[in-house]
Amino acid sequence: MGRLMNDHESDLIAQARDILKKKFGYDQFRSGQQQVIQEVLSGHDVFAMMPTGSGKSICYEVPGYLLEGIVLIISPLLSLMEDQVNQLREIGEKNVRALNGLMHPEERSRVLAHLRDIRFLFISPEMLRQHSVLTALSRVKLSLFVVDEAHCVSQWGHDFRPDYLYLAEIRSHLGNPACLAVTATADERVREDIVRSLDLRAVNYVLMSVDRRNIALAVHKVKSSEEKIEELCKLLSKVQLPGIVYCAGRDWTEKIADIIRQKLGLRTAFYHGGMEAVDRRKIQNQFLDGQLDLLCCTNAFGMGINKPDIRLVVHFHFPATMNAYLQEIGRASRDGKQGLAILYYAEQDEHYPLGFIDANFPDDTLLRQVLRELDQGLLKLEKKETFLTSLQDRGASETAARFIFENVRFVTRGMNYSSIFEECRKKITERRSVQLNELSMMKRYLNSTTCRRAFYLSVYNESQSEKLDLCCDQCGLSLEAFERACPQTSDVHPEQTLDWHQRLATIFRESERDI
DNA sequence: CGCGACCGCCCTATGGCGGTCGCGGTGCCATAGT
């Protein structure tokens, strides 16, 4: 950073620029890319925080052509992997493969048998822990160990997807290739957590601003869900679309999609983790293709989505952390045009995140019971699936069941069960307090009486450079002002919009009658 | 934590009320059994 390049380094960069032109057709690196690539080519561990859409993938793709060996990319979602593989195929790269559980076992073996022909290999953290995979990979040279969407390490590794916490061990087993961790959102605590979990050494940080100056922000405090729906309808008839509505629960995504479709006639769909993979793919594609005006979804939607013209991100319920919030609103207006992020907040909404935090961990009674049964040999860790099912039968969530499994399995023989209990308790208390702290930061944002942007920037140790015209509700932004600055274009269902004004009038007449 | 679904109670009606209980969001992979 700021230091002068030596001859060797400038030579590498010249080569990198050559690849960028030849393979990807770009003349210049975008902000951040060159710095990351330079550090990667010099063999350093790099932590990069770059906004989505800034060309994160170039940062490992270009080095892939200059370094000897395989670029291994750890990717959190199978659908994302699929997209990433296709993108590389589109530029004519044949030596790119994914390795995951959806593949036929035979095909998987074939990939492992011909690793030397591969330049880019996409893989899930779970697959990476398989013996056969690890053995095969340890026999070849890896040029780079990329952790894509690296916030998952911190967000999911400690409970939801524990395999994320084994990446450091795996990397060391694979001869410690240089590591590139990339994400769009990680505050300082999350960054430290990622660096520690991945065991990054002498790490170079490339941190770009998280400020999305073209997204106006607002928090709208209400009393009830009914009021939210009313406000949402009003909003949707005034501002530009397409948009996303984030809800805390699956049921709400379906309910809101229904209401919007009926009341406003907008092309609306819902999306959540309870749906079949094919349906999810279908809805995602429809949204990307511009066949939908609005998508109501849980936090299942969004990772790896790069649709440039999303104009609106609504939070019908607030997310559990500021990182998640930034991640979600950051999906708006990637094309640089003006966008809007509006959050509806009712105090009772807090029960969602509180409930989620609770469901992540076993309660004391279950924990004690399970440990006693393990001690007496009534339960066995050797049969993982049986163990997990047994815990879930007693009311533990899948995550809580796995929490016990992961934390008990490596306990040394000499340890007695009451001290294991205390160890687990300690860990639960720690993790819970981390999550409660993040929630309380989120609540501070919601209740903030100063500039929203200044607040979230301060969470990332940044400060605001200059005042924006369309900043946030605390800086005087009103829906009317926003509407004036960004009038709804009439190409989105004008007849239904008119229809809605008539219906709104009818609703008001009806409610007057009720009073 | 707090919601909504469900149950049982009231004691002669098909409803309303209060208590209890379970659930809630994110996704990999395996393996057993057809």
Side-chain angles (χ1 to χ4, degrees), chain A residues 438-457:
Chain A
E438 296 205 290
L439 177 59
S440 99
M441 186 60 92
M442 187 71 221
K443 271 164 49 193
R444 278 179 54 201
Y445 174 80
L446 299 176
N447 294 314
S448 163
T449 51
T450 55
C451 173
R452 309 277 180 201
R453 194 172 305 272
F455 187 101
Y456 85 61
L457 287 175

Side-chain angles (χ1 to χ4, degrees), chain A residues 187-199:
Chain A
D187 61 26
E188 198 160 357
R189 191 200 62 78
V190 173
R191 293 201 283 261
E192 281 171 8
D193 194 21
I194 294 169
V195 167
R196 192 176 45 242
S197 302
L198 294 177
D199 194 19

Side-chain angles (χ1 to χ4, degrees), chain A residues 198-403:
Chain A
L198 294 177
D199 194 19
L200 303 186
R201 316 257 175 94
V203 55
N204 283 273
Y205 290 90
V206 178
L207 305 174
M208 294 174 65
S209 173
V210 290
D211 197 3
R212 294 293 309 279
R213 299 158 58 81
N214 58 324
I215 302 174
L217 304 160
V219 174
H220 194 130
K221 200 162 181 175
V222 296
K223 288 268 180 292
S224 66
S225 301
E226 289 71 32
E227 199 183 337
K228 281 186 189 174
I229 290 169
E230 214 173 287
E231 291 294 332
L232 177 61
C233 289
K234 218 188 288 177
L235 177 77
L236 292 174
S237 65
K238 289 183 174 172
V239 302
Q240 292 179 23
L241 297 173
I244 306 177
V245 179
Y246 277 105
C247 307
R250 294 173 178 179
D251 50 352
W252 274 106
T253 66
E254 302 189 16
K255 191 170 155 184
I256 291 171
D258 250 10
I259 293 173
I260 300 299
R261 221 180 287 123
Q262 284 178 23
K263 278 199 178 176
L264 306 187
L266 293 171
R267 300 169 302 170
T268 309
F270 60 84
Y271 180 105
H272 57 65
M275 294 161 63
E276 294 291 332
V278 276
D279 296 330
R280 288 174 65 161
R281 212 10 136 166
K282 198 180 84 188
I283 299 295
Q284 184 184 311
N285 288 339
Q286 284 181 356
F287 187 68
L288 293 178
D289 288 353
Q291 296 168 38
L292 292 171
D293 302 312
L294 200 68
L295 189 62
C296 304
C297 57
T298 60
N299 57 356
F301 183 81
M303 207 158 25
I305 298 295
N306 201 358
K307 180 175 169 59
D309 63 342
I310 297 171
R311 289 286 160 258
L312 173 73
V313 173
V314 174
H315 280 84
F316 197 84
H317 301 106
F318 64 87
T321 69
M322 284 299 288
N323 282 317
Y325 184 61
L326 263 284
Q327 185 83 206
E328 286 164 6
I329 66 168
R331 285 163 195 147
S333 283
R334 298 257 168 86
D335 57 9
K337 295 182 185 167
Q338 185 64 49
L340 175 65
I342 184 158
L343 185 156
Y344 296 112
Y345 167 43
E347 254 162 28
Q348 59 270 26
D349 294 343
E350 208 194 334
H351 81 263
Y352 277 104
L354 283 174
F356 296 149
I357 292 171
D358 222 45
N360 280 337
F361 310 103
D363 59 38
D364 285 3
T365 322
L366 179 69
L367 188 55
R368 237 187 226 108
Q369 190 185 28
V370 169
L371 288 171
R372 199 170 45 236
E373 287 177 30
L374 279 167
D375 200 21
Q376 294 164 352
L378 299 170
L379 266 173
K380 288 201 170 26
L381 288 167
E382 288 73 33
K383 293 186 172 180
K384 181 176 176 181
E385 294 307 315
T386 320
F387 180 85
L388 293 179
T389 319
S390 156
L391 265 60
Q392 281 173 267
D393 288 346
R394 305 179 213 193
S397 71
E398 199 184 334
T399 309
R402 214 174 17 234
F403 182 92

